[in-house]
PDB file of all heavy atoms in Angstrom:
ATOM      1  N   ILE A  45      -4.042   4.910   7.660  1.00 97.00           N
ATOM      2  CA  ILE A  45      -3.587   6.247   7.276  1.00 97.00           C
ATOM      3  C   ILE A  45      -4.514   7.297   7.877  1.00 97.00           C
ATOM      4  O   ILE A  45      -4.067   8.308   8.399  1.00 97.00           O
ATOM      5  CB  ILE A  45      -3.525   6.381   5.733  1.00 97.00           C
ATOM      6  CG1 ILE A  45      -2.628   5.289   5.135  1.00 97.00           C
ATOM      7  CG2 ILE A  45      -3.060   7.772   5.338  1.00 97.00           C
ATOM      8  CD1 ILE A  45      -1.210   5.238   5.675  1.00 97.00           C
ATOM      9  N   ASN A  46      -5.804   7.087   7.788  1.00 96.00           N
ATOM     10  CA  ASN A  46      -6.798   7.922   8.460  1.00 96.00           C
ATOM     11  C   ASN A  46      -8.012   7.041   8.744  1.00 96.00           C
ATOM     12  O   ASN A  46      -7.949   5.829   8.561  1.00 96.00           O
ATOM     13  CB  ASN A  46      -7.135   9.186   7.637  1.00 96.00           C
ATOM     14  CG  ASN A  46      -7.751   8.881   6.282  1.00 96.00           C
ATOM     15  OD1 ASN A  46      -8.593   7.995   6.150  1.00 96.00           O
ATOM     16  ND2 ASN A  46      -7.330   9.614   5.265  1.00 96.00           N
ATOM     17  N   LYS A  48     -10.653   6.498   7.182  1.00 95.00           N
ATOM     18  CA  LYS A  48     -11.298   5.905   6.012  1.00 95.00           C
ATOM     19  C   LYS A  48     -10.308   5.339   5.006  1.00 95.00           C
ATOM     20  O   LYS A  48     -10.669   5.064   3.871  1.00 95.00           O
ATOM     21  CB  LYS A  48     -12.165   6.951   5.312  1.00 95.00           C
ATOM     22  CG  LYS A  48     -13.326   7.430   6.151  1.00 95.00           C
ATOM     23  CD  LYS A  48     -14.190   8.379   5.367  1.00 95.00           C
ATOM     24  CE  LYS A  48     -15.398   8.783   6.180  1.00 95.00           C
ATOM     25  NZ  LYS A  48     -16.311   9.612   5.393  1.00 95.00           N
ATOM     26  N   LEU A  49      -9.059   5.164   5.408  1.00 97.00           N
ATOM     27  CA  LEU A  49      -8.012   4.794   4.455  1.00 97.00           C
ATOM     28  C   LEU A  49      -6.936   3.960   5.134  1.00 97.00           C
ATOM     29  O   LEU A  49      -6.469   4.299   6.222  1.00 97.00           O
ATOM     30  CB  LEU A  49      -7.394   6.070   3.876  1.00 97.00           C
ATOM     31  CG  LEU A  49      -6.218   5.967   2.935  1.00 97.00           C
ATOM     32  CD1 LEU A  49      -6.621   5.264   1.646  1.00 97.00           C
ATOM     33  CD2 LEU A  49      -5.690   7.357   2.621  1.00 97.00           C
ATOM     34  N   ALA A  50      -6.539   2.870   4.470  1.00 97.00           N
ATOM     35  CA  ALA A  50      -5.435   2.036   4.959  1.00 97.00           C
ATOM     36  C   ALA A  50      -4.668   1.494   3.766  1.00 97.00           C
ATOM     37  O   ALA A  50      -5.154   1.516   2.630  1.00 97.00           O
ATOM     38  CB  ALA A  50      -5.952   0.899   5.829  1.00 97.00           C
ATOM     39  N   VAL A  51      -3.456   1.012   4.032  1.00 97.00           N
ATOM     40  CA  VAL A  51      -2.599   0.503   2.962  1.00 97.00           C
ATOM     41  C   VAL A  51      -1.863  -0.743   3.444  1.00 97.00           C
ATOM     42  O   VAL A  51      -1.528  -0.850   4.622  1.00 97.00           O
ATOM     43  CB  VAL A  51      -1.602   1.598   2.497  1.00 97.00           C
ATOM     44  CG1 VAL A  51      -0.693   2.040   3.620  1.00 97.00           C
ATOM     45  CG2 VAL A  51      -0.792   1.156   1.308  1.00 97.00           C
ATOM     46  N   ILE A  63       7.669   5.188   2.469  1.00 95.00           N
ATOM     47  CA  ILE A  63       6.465   5.526   1.703  1.00 95.00           C
ATOM     48  C   ILE A  63       5.273   5.732   2.641  1.00 95.00           C
ATOM     49  O   ILE A  63       4.486   6.669   2.471  1.00 95.00           O
ATOM     50  CB  ILE A  63       6.162   4.420   0.668  1.00 95.00           C
ATOM     51  CG1 ILE A  63       7.192   4.430  -0.452  1.00 95.00           C
ATOM     52  CG2 ILE A  63       4.753   4.538   0.125  1.00 95.00           C
ATOM     53  CD1 ILE A  63       7.115   5.612  -1.382  1.00 95.00           C
ATOM     54  N   ILE A  64       5.139   4.875   3.654  1.00 95.00           N
ATOM     55  CA  ILE A  64       4.034   4.998   4.619  1.00 95.00           C
ATOM     56  C   ILE A  64       4.139   6.321   5.372  1.00 95.00           C
ATOM     57  O   ILE A  64       3.141   7.012   5.571  1.00 95.00           O
ATOM     58  CB  ILE A  64       4.023   3.805   5.603  1.00 95.00           C
ATOM     59  CG1 ILE A  64       3.863   2.468   4.882  1.00 95.00           C
ATOM     60  CG2 ILE A  64       2.964   3.986   6.678  1.00 95.00           C
ATOM     61  CD1 ILE A  64       2.614   2.297   4.087  1.00 95.00           C
ATOM     62  N   PHE A  66       5.579   9.106   4.292  1.00 95.00           N
ATOM     63  CA  PHE A  66       5.184  10.143   3.324  1.00 95.00           C
ATOM     64  C   PHE A  66       3.665  10.253   3.267  1.00 95.00           C
ATOM     65  O   PHE A  66       3.096  11.338   3.307  1.00 95.00           O
ATOM     66  CB  PHE A  66       5.688   9.814   1.917  1.00 95.00           C
ATOM     67  CG  PHE A  66       7.142  10.037   1.658  1.00 95.00           C
ATOM     68  CD1 PHE A  66       7.766   9.320   0.656  1.00 95.00           C
ATOM     69  CD2 PHE A  66       7.882  10.955   2.375  1.00 95.00           C
ATOM     70  CE1 PHE A  66       9.110   9.506   0.382  1.00 95.00           C
ATOM     71  CE2 PHE A  66       9.230  11.146   2.119  1.00 95.00           C
ATOM     72  CZ  PHE A  66       9.842  10.428   1.116  1.00 95.00           C
ATOM     73  N   LEU A  67       3.007   9.106   3.135  1.00 97.00           N
ATOM     74  CA  LEU A  67       1.551   9.101   2.962  1.00 97.00           C
ATOM     75  C   LEU A  67       0.844   9.610   4.213  1.00 97.00           C
ATOM     76  O   LEU A  67      -0.106  10.390   4.118  1.00 97.00           O
ATOM     77  CB  LEU A  67       1.057   7.711   2.587  1.00 97.00           C
ATOM     78  CG  LEU A  67      -0.441   7.585   2.330  1.00 97.00           C
ATOM     79  CD1 LEU A  67      -0.904   8.555   1.249  1.00 97.00           C
ATOM     80  CD2 LEU A  67      -0.795   6.161   1.955  1.00 97.00           C
ATOM     81  N   LYS A  68       1.277   9.180   5.391  1.00 97.00           N
ATOM     82  CA  LYS A  68       0.636   9.630   6.631  1.00 97.00           C
ATOM     83  C   LYS A  68       0.759  11.147   6.796  1.00 97.00           C
ATOM     84  O   LYS A  68      -0.218  11.816   7.135  1.00 97.00           O
ATOM     85  CB  LYS A  68       1.243   8.918   7.842  1.00 97.00           C
ATOM     86  CG  LYS A  68       0.738   7.513   8.018  1.00 97.00           C
ATOM     87  CD  LYS A  68       1.313   6.886   9.280  1.00 97.00           C
ATOM     88  CE  LYS A  68       0.723   5.518   9.510  1.00 97.00           C
ATOM     89  NZ  LYS A  68       1.209   4.899  10.747  1.00 97.00           N
ATOM     90  N   HIS A  70       1.327  13.390   4.420  1.00 97.00           N
ATOM     91  CA  HIS A  70       0.580  14.065   3.359  1.00 97.00           C
ATOM     92  C   HIS A  70      -0.926  13.997   3.625  1.00 97.00           C
ATOM     93  O   HIS A  70      -1.649  14.963   3.344  1.00 97.00           O
ATOM     94  CB  HIS A  70       0.904  13.460   1.996  1.00 97.00           C
ATOM     95  CG  HIS A  70       0.300  14.213   0.859  1.00 97.00           C
ATOM     96  ND1 HIS A  70       0.733  15.474   0.497  1.00 97.00           N
ATOM     97  CD2 HIS A  70      -0.715  13.903   0.026  1.00 97.00           C
ATOM     98  CE1 HIS A  70       0.007  15.900  -0.525  1.00 97.00           C
ATOM     99  NE2 HIS A  70      -0.874  14.964  -0.825  1.00 97.00           N
ATOM    100  N   SER A  71      -1.389  12.903   4.197  1.00 97.00           N
ATOM    101  CA  SER A  71      -2.805  12.772   4.534  1.00 97.00           C
ATOM    102  C   SER A  71      -3.220  13.823   5.562  1.00 97.00           C
ATOM    103  O   SER A  71      -4.281  14.437   5.445  1.00 97.00           O
ATOM    104  CB  SER A  71      -3.091  11.366   5.074  1.00 97.00           C
ATOM    105  OG  SER A  71      -4.421  11.260   5.515  1.00 97.00           O
ATOM    106  N   TYR A  74      -3.260  17.158   3.739  1.00 97.00           N
ATOM    107  CA  TYR A  74      -4.428  17.159   2.851  1.00 97.00           C
ATOM    108  C   TYR A  74      -5.680  17.559   3.639  1.00 97.00           C
ATOM    109  O   TYR A  74      -6.468  18.400   3.202  1.00 97.00           O
ATOM    110  CB  TYR A  74      -4.582  15.759   2.266  1.00 97.00           C
ATOM    111  CG  TYR A  74      -5.672  15.595   1.229  1.00 97.00           C
ATOM    112  CD1 TYR A  74      -5.371  15.606  -0.126  1.00 97.00           C
ATOM    113  CD2 TYR A  74      -6.999  15.378   1.593  1.00 97.00           C
ATOM    114  CE1 TYR A  74      -6.351  15.424  -1.091  1.00 97.00           C
ATOM    115  CE2 TYR A  74      -7.986  15.190   0.650  1.00 97.00           C
ATOM    116  CZ  TYR A  74      -7.656  15.218  -0.698  1.00 97.00           C
ATOM    117  OH  TYR A  74      -8.629  15.032  -1.645  1.00 97.00           O
ATOM    118  N   THR A  81     -11.229  14.452   4.518  1.00 96.00           N
ATOM    119  CA  THR A  81     -10.345  13.296   4.652  1.00 96.00           C
ATOM    120  C   THR A  81      -9.826  12.860   3.283  1.00 96.00           C
ATOM    121  O   THR A  81     -10.573  12.840   2.305  1.00 96.00           O
ATOM    122  CB  THR A  81     -11.105  12.131   5.314  1.00 96.00           C
ATOM    123  OG1 THR A  81     -11.638  12.590   6.558  1.00 96.00           O
ATOM    124  CG2 THR A  81     -10.192  10.956   5.570  1.00 96.00           C
ATOM    125  N   MET A  82      -8.558  12.517   3.225  1.00 97.00           N
ATOM    126  CA  MET A  82      -7.960  12.023   1.978  1.00 97.00           C
ATOM    127  C   MET A  82      -8.628  10.716   1.567  1.00 97.00           C
ATOM    128  O   MET A  82      -8.828   9.824   2.383  1.00 97.00           O
ATOM    129  CB  MET A  82      -6.456  11.804   2.173  1.00 97.00           C
ATOM    130  CG  MET A  82      -5.745  11.282   0.941  1.00 97.00           C
ATOM    131  SD  MET A  82      -3.995  11.055   1.245  1.00 97.00           S
ATOM    132  CE  MET A  82      -3.344  12.275   0.137  1.00 97.00           C
ATOM    133  N   THR A  83      -8.945  10.608   0.289  1.00 96.00           N
ATOM    134  CA  THR A  83      -9.573   9.400  -0.253  1.00 96.00           C
ATOM    135  C   THR A  83      -8.504   8.421  -0.735  1.00 96.00           C
ATOM    136  O   THR A  83      -7.339   8.780  -0.905  1.00 96.00           O
ATOM    137  CB  THR A  83     -10.483   9.749  -1.434  1.00 96.00           C
ATOM    138  OG1 THR A  83      -9.678  10.280  -2.494  1.00 96.00           O
ATOM    139  CG2 THR A  83     -11.558  10.750  -1.038  1.00 96.00           C
ATOM    140  N   ALA A  84      -8.928   7.196  -1.000  1.00 97.00           N
ATOM    141  CA  ALA A  84      -8.005   6.190  -1.532  1.00 97.00           C
ATOM    142  C   ALA A  84      -7.490   6.607  -2.908  1.00 97.00           C
ATOM    143  O   ALA A  84      -6.325   6.388  -3.230  1.00 97.00           O
ATOM    144  CB  ALA A  84      -8.700   4.828  -1.606  1.00 97.00           C
ATOM    145  N   LYS A  85      -8.344   7.226  -3.711  1.00 97.00           N
ATOM    146  CA  LYS A  85      -7.909   7.686  -5.040  1.00 97.00           C
ATOM    147  C   LYS A  85      -6.850   8.777  -4.917  1.00 97.00           C
ATOM    148  O   LYS A  85      -5.842   8.759  -5.622  1.00 97.00           O
ATOM    149  CB  LYS A  85      -9.101   8.178  -5.847  1.00 97.00           C
ATOM    150  CG  LYS A  85      -8.716   8.573  -7.249  1.00 97.00           C
ATOM    151  CD  LYS A  85      -9.916   8.843  -8.113  1.00 97.00           C
ATOM    152  CE  LYS A  85      -9.434   9.094  -9.535  1.00 97.00           C
ATOM    153  NZ  LYS A  85     -10.497   8.974 -10.497  1.00 97.00           N
ATOM    154  N   ALA A  86      -7.047   9.729  -4.021  1.00 97.00           N
ATOM    155  CA  ALA A  86      -6.067  10.797  -3.813  1.00 97.00           C
ATOM    156  C   ALA A  86      -4.751  10.228  -3.289  1.00 97.00           C
ATOM    157  O   ALA A  86      -3.669  10.638  -3.728  1.00 97.00           O
ATOM    158  CB  ALA A  86      -6.616  11.848  -2.849  1.00 97.00           C
ATOM    159  N   ALA A  87      -4.826   9.275  -2.375  1.00 97.00           N
ATOM    160  CA  ALA A  87      -3.620   8.639  -1.838  1.00 97.00           C
ATOM    161  C   ALA A  87      -2.878   7.887  -2.930  1.00 97.00           C
ATOM    162  O   ALA A  87      -1.649   7.949  -3.018  1.00 97.00           O
ATOM    163  CB  ALA A  87      -3.981   7.696  -0.691  1.00 97.00           C
ATOM    164  N   SER A  88      -3.620   7.190  -3.786  1.00 97.00           N
ATOM    165  CA  SER A  88      -3.006   6.438  -4.885  1.00 97.00           C
ATOM    166  C   SER A  88      -2.301   7.372  -5.860  1.00 97.00           C
ATOM    167  O   SER A  88      -1.194   7.085  -6.311  1.00 97.00           O
ATOM    168  CB  SER A  88      -4.071   5.621  -5.624  1.00 97.00           C
ATOM    169  OG  SER A  88      -4.637   4.678  -4.767  1.00 97.00           O
ATOM    170  N   THR A  89      -2.933   8.486  -6.175  1.00 97.00           N
ATOM    171  CA  THR A  89      -2.325   9.460  -7.094  1.00 97.00           C
ATOM    172  C   THR A  89      -1.058  10.046  -6.483  1.00 97.00           C
ATOM    173  O   THR A  89      -0.032  10.162  -7.154  1.00 97.00           O
ATOM    174  CB  THR A  89      -3.331  10.569  -7.424  1.00 97.00           C
ATOM    175  OG1 THR A  89      -4.477   9.976  -8.026  1.00 97.00           O
ATOM    176  CG2 THR A  89      -2.732  11.593  -8.372  1.00 97.00           C
ATOM    177  N   PHE A  90      -1.120  10.412  -5.208  1.00 97.00           N
ATOM    178  CA  PHE A  90       0.060  10.960  -4.519  1.00 97.00           C
ATOM    179  C   PHE A  90       1.227   9.973  -4.549  1.00 97.00           C
ATOM    180  O   PHE A  90       2.341  10.321  -4.945  1.00 97.00           O
ATOM    181  CB  PHE A  90      -0.314  11.310  -3.072  1.00 97.00           C
ATOM    182  CG  PHE A  90       0.853  11.693  -2.215  1.00 97.00           C
ATOM    183  CD1 PHE A  90       1.514  12.897  -2.417  1.00 97.00           C
ATOM    184  CD2 PHE A  90       1.292  10.863  -1.204  1.00 97.00           C
ATOM    185  CE1 PHE A  90       2.601  13.258  -1.619  1.00 97.00           C
ATOM    186  CE2 PHE A  90       2.371  11.209  -0.408  1.00 97.00           C
ATOM    187  CZ  PHE A  90       3.028  12.414  -0.626  1.00 97.00           C
ATOM    188  N   LEU A  91       0.957   8.716  -4.159  1.00 96.00           N
ATOM    189  CA  LEU A  91       2.032   7.727  -4.136  1.00 96.00           C
ATOM    190  C   LEU A  91       2.504   7.367  -5.537  1.00 96.00           C
ATOM    191  O   LEU A  91       3.699   7.121  -5.752  1.00 96.00           O
ATOM    192  CB  LEU A  91       1.591   6.473  -3.387  1.00 96.00           C
ATOM    193  CG  LEU A  91       1.422   6.651  -1.887  1.00 96.00           C
ATOM    194  CD1 LEU A  91       1.019   5.329  -1.238  1.00 96.00           C
ATOM    195  CD2 LEU A  91       2.675   7.201  -1.245  1.00 96.00           C
ATOM    196  N   SER A  92       1.612   7.349  -6.498  1.00 96.00           N
ATOM    197  CA  SER A  92       1.996   7.086  -7.886  1.00 96.00           C
ATOM    198  C   SER A  92       3.012   8.118  -8.365  1.00 96.00           C
ATOM    199  O   SER A  92       3.999   7.779  -9.024  1.00 96.00           O
ATOM    200  CB  SER A  92       0.769   7.109  -8.787  1.00 96.00           C
ATOM    201  OG  SER A  92       1.148   7.017 -10.140  1.00 96.00           O
ATOM    202  N   ASN A  93       2.783   9.384  -8.032  1.00 96.00           N
ATOM    203  CA  ASN A  93       3.715  10.444  -8.424  1.00 96.00           C
ATOM    204  C   ASN A  93       5.090  10.256  -7.782  1.00 96.00           C
ATOM    205  O   ASN A  93       6.115  10.451  -8.430  1.00 96.00           O
ATOM    206  CB  ASN A  93       3.146  11.816  -8.069  1.00 96.00           C
ATOM    207  CG  ASN A  93       1.950  12.181  -8.917  1.00 96.00           C
ATOM    208  OD1 ASN A  93       1.778  11.676 -10.021  1.00 96.00           O
ATOM    209  ND2 ASN A  93       1.108  13.047  -8.396  1.00 96.00           N
ATOM    210  N   ILE A  94       5.115   9.866  -6.516  1.00 95.00           N
ATOM    211  CA  ILE A  94       6.395   9.615  -5.828  1.00 95.00           C
ATOM    212  C   ILE A  94       7.109   8.427  -6.475  1.00 95.00           C
ATOM    213  O   ILE A  94       8.298   8.496  -6.788  1.00 95.00           O
ATOM    214  CB  ILE A  94       6.179   9.355  -4.326  1.00 95.00           C
ATOM    215  CG1 ILE A  94       5.760  10.645  -3.628  1.00 95.00           C
ATOM    216  CG2 ILE A  94       7.446   8.793  -3.680  1.00 95.00           C
ATOM    217  CD1 ILE A  94       5.373  10.458  -2.184  1.00 95.00           C
ATOM    218  N   LEU A  95       6.377   7.322  -6.660  1.00 95.00           N
ATOM    219  CA  LEU A  95       6.989   6.110  -7.218  1.00 95.00           C
ATOM    220  C   LEU A  95       7.476   6.349  -8.651  1.00 95.00           C
ATOM    221  O   LEU A  95       8.579   5.926  -9.012  1.00 95.00           O
ATOM    222  CB  LEU A  95       5.996   4.949  -7.169  1.00 95.00           C
ATOM    223  CG  LEU A  95       5.611   4.477  -5.767  1.00 95.00           C
ATOM    224  CD1 LEU A  95       4.440   3.505  -5.832  1.00 95.00           C
ATOM    225  CD2 LEU A  95       6.792   3.877  -5.041  1.00 95.00           C
ATOM    226  N   LEU A 107       2.041  -1.917  -3.265  1.00 95.00           N
ATOM    227  CA  LEU A 107       1.075  -1.430  -2.289  1.00 95.00           C
ATOM    228  C   LEU A 107      -0.347  -1.712  -2.725  1.00 95.00           C
ATOM    229  O   LEU A 107      -0.669  -1.633  -3.909  1.00 95.00           O
ATOM    230  CB  LEU A 107       1.252   0.084  -2.103  1.00 95.00           C
ATOM    231  CG  LEU A 107       2.654   0.547  -1.726  1.00 95.00           C
ATOM    232  CD1 LEU A 107       2.792   2.039  -1.926  1.00 95.00           C
ATOM    233  CD2 LEU A 107       2.950   0.176  -0.293  1.00 95.00           C
ATOM    234  N   VAL A 108      -1.201  -2.003  -1.758  1.00 96.00           N
ATOM    235  CA  VAL A 108      -2.639  -2.083  -1.968  1.00 96.00           C
ATOM    236  C   VAL A 108      -3.251  -1.022  -1.059  1.00 96.00           C
ATOM    237  O   VAL A 108      -2.989  -0.998   0.139  1.00 96.00           O
ATOM    238  CB  VAL A 108      -3.205  -3.476  -1.631  1.00 96.00           C
ATOM    239  CG1 VAL A 108      -4.730  -3.475  -1.698  1.00 96.00           C
ATOM    240  CG2 VAL A 108      -2.636  -4.528  -2.574  1.00 96.00           C
ATOM    241  N   ILE A 109      -4.045  -0.136  -1.662  1.00 97.00           N
ATOM    242  CA  ILE A 109      -4.670   0.955  -0.918  1.00 97.00           C
ATOM    243  C   ILE A 109      -6.175   0.752  -0.941  1.00 97.00           C
ATOM    244  O   ILE A 109      -6.770   0.591  -2.001  1.00 97.00           O
ATOM    245  CB  ILE A 109      -4.303   2.317  -1.539  1.00 97.00           C
ATOM    246  CG1 ILE A 109      -2.801   2.535  -1.452  1.00 97.00           C
ATOM    247  CG2 ILE A 109      -5.063   3.448  -0.849  1.00 97.00           C
ATOM    248  CD1 ILE A 109      -2.318   3.782  -2.136  1.00 97.00           C
ATOM    249  N   GLY A 110      -6.770   0.749   0.241  1.00 97.00           N
ATOM    250  CA  GLY A 110      -8.211   0.577   0.344  1.00 97.00           C
ATOM    251  C   GLY A 110      -8.820   1.657   1.207  1.00 97.00           C
ATOM    252  O   GLY A 110      -8.205   2.123   2.165  1.00 97.00           O
ATOM    253  N   GLY A 111     -10.020   2.065   0.836  1.00 96.00           N
ATOM    254  CA  GLY A 111     -10.702   3.083   1.608  1.00 96.00           C
ATOM    255  C   GLY A 111     -12.174   3.138   1.278  1.00 96.00           C
ATOM    256  O   GLY A 111     -12.663   2.426   0.405  1.00 96.00           O
ATOM    257  N   GLU A 117     -13.350   1.772  -2.195  1.00 97.00           N
ATOM    258  CA  GLU A 117     -12.340   2.002  -3.234  1.00 97.00           C
ATOM    259  C   GLU A 117     -11.138   1.120  -2.957  1.00 97.00           C
ATOM    260  O   GLU A 117     -10.729   0.973  -1.805  1.00 97.00           O
ATOM    261  CB  GLU A 117     -11.887   3.467  -3.248  1.00 97.00           C
ATOM    262  CG  GLU A 117     -12.978   4.454  -3.564  1.00 97.00           C
ATOM    263  CD  GLU A 117     -12.479   5.894  -3.521  1.00 97.00           C
ATOM    264  OE1 GLU A 117     -11.779   6.256  -2.547  1.00 97.00           O
ATOM    265  OE2 GLU A 117     -12.779   6.635  -4.456  1.00 97.00           O
ATOM    266  N   PHE A 119      -7.178   0.122  -4.748  1.00 97.00           N
ATOM    267  CA  PHE A 119      -6.173   0.388  -5.762  1.00 97.00           C
ATOM    268  C   PHE A 119      -4.935  -0.467  -5.514  1.00 97.00           C
ATOM    269  O   PHE A 119      -4.559  -0.715  -4.372  1.00 97.00           O
ATOM    270  CB  PHE A 119      -5.766   1.868  -5.752  1.00 97.00           C
ATOM    271  CG  PHE A 119      -6.890   2.797  -6.079  1.00 97.00           C
ATOM    272  CD1 PHE A 119      -7.719   3.286  -5.090  1.00 97.00           C
ATOM    273  CD2 PHE A 119      -7.129   3.183  -7.391  1.00 97.00           C
ATOM    274  CE1 PHE A 119      -8.768   4.135  -5.381  1.00 97.00           C
ATOM    275  CE2 PHE A 119      -8.173   4.031  -7.700  1.00 97.00           C
ATOM    276  CZ  PHE A 119      -8.998   4.513  -6.696  1.00 97.00           C
ATOM    277  N   LEU A 121      -0.895  -0.468  -6.522  1.00 94.00           N
ATOM    278  CA  LEU A 121       0.171   0.376  -7.073  1.00 94.00           C
ATOM    279  C   LEU A 121       1.397  -0.453  -7.382  1.00 94.00           C
ATOM    280  O   LEU A 121       1.845  -1.248  -6.550  1.00 94.00           O
ATOM    281  CB  LEU A 121       0.563   1.477  -6.084  1.00 94.00           C
ATOM    282  CG  LEU A 121      -0.191   2.788  -6.261  1.00 94.00           C
ATOM    283  CD1 LEU A 121      -1.592   2.647  -5.752  1.00 94.00           C
ATOM    284  CD2 LEU A 121       0.529   3.905  -5.584  1.00 94.00           C
ATOM    285  N   GLY A 125       4.839   3.206 -10.173  1.00 94.00           N
ATOM    286  CA  GLY A 125       3.804   4.219 -10.092  1.00 94.00           C
ATOM    287  C   GLY A 125       2.550   3.928 -10.886  1.00 94.00           C
ATOM    288  O   GLY A 125       1.682   4.783 -10.972  1.00 94.00           O
ATOM    289  N   ILE A 127      -1.105   2.791 -11.468  1.00 96.00           N
ATOM    290  CA  ILE A 127      -2.281   2.675 -10.601  1.00 96.00           C
ATOM    291  C   ILE A 127      -3.279   1.755 -11.286  1.00 96.00           C
ATOM    292  O   ILE A 127      -3.672   2.002 -12.426  1.00 96.00           O
ATOM    293  CB  ILE A 127      -2.962   4.038 -10.369  1.00 96.00           C
ATOM    294  CG1 ILE A 127      -2.018   5.033  -9.726  1.00 96.00           C
ATOM    295  CG2 ILE A 127      -4.221   3.865  -9.516  1.00 96.00           C
ATOM    296  CD1 ILE A 127      -2.604   6.435  -9.615  1.00 96.00           C
TER     297      ILE A 127
END
Side-chain angles (χ1 to χ4, degrees):
I45 304 304
N46 62 41
K48 295 184 176 185
L49 176 65
V51 61
I63 289 290
I64 300 300
F66 284 155
L67 182 56
K68 282 183 176 182
H70 187 70
S71 175
Y74 185 99
T81 305
M82 180 180 245
T83 64
K85 184 171 186 163
S88 297
T89 301
F90 172 70
L91 290 182
S92 173
N93 291 336
I94 290 173
L95 294 170
L107 305 165
V108 173
I109 297 175
E117 298 178 313
F119 298 89
L121 268 74
I127 301 174

